[in-house]
Amino acid sequence: QRVEGVLMARRYVLCQYNIKRESLERACVVASGRQAPTVTSLEAEDWVAVSVMIEKKELANKMDQLKEIGAIDILVLQIANART
């Protein structure tokens, strides 16, 4: 498991962004994560925050697609280690 966690961390990044709830379904098609995105309601009405793991090799294209759908505040965080 330890080696698998390191390999996963090398392969993926954590992408976080805000998006209007009405666009969430389309955003989840673009970037669905390993199992499913984590979605959290925001104080701003009709907005949610999304966290999703994305393969590094697909990151630039996924970020562009999310931006086109209406995602804002798109952040990318490195993963140091993981367990599945």
Side-chain angles (χ1 to χ4, degrees), residues 41-61:
S41 294
L42 295 176
E43 289 293 320
E45 190 173 327
D46 297 327
W47 284 84
V48 294
V50 181
S51 296
V52 64
M53 290 174 65
I54 297 177
E55 282 193 74
K56 289 179 181 179
K57 67 182 180 181
E58 300 176 353
L59 181 61
N61 288 333

Side-chain angles (χ1 to χ4, degrees), residues 18-35:
N18 296 335
I19 195 162
K20 287 192 173 189
R21 188 174 292 278
E22 66 191 30
S23 301
L24 179 60
E25 188 174 328
R26 289 188 305 157
C28 290
V29 170
V30 169
S32 59
R34 285 183 34 85
Q35 291 183 331

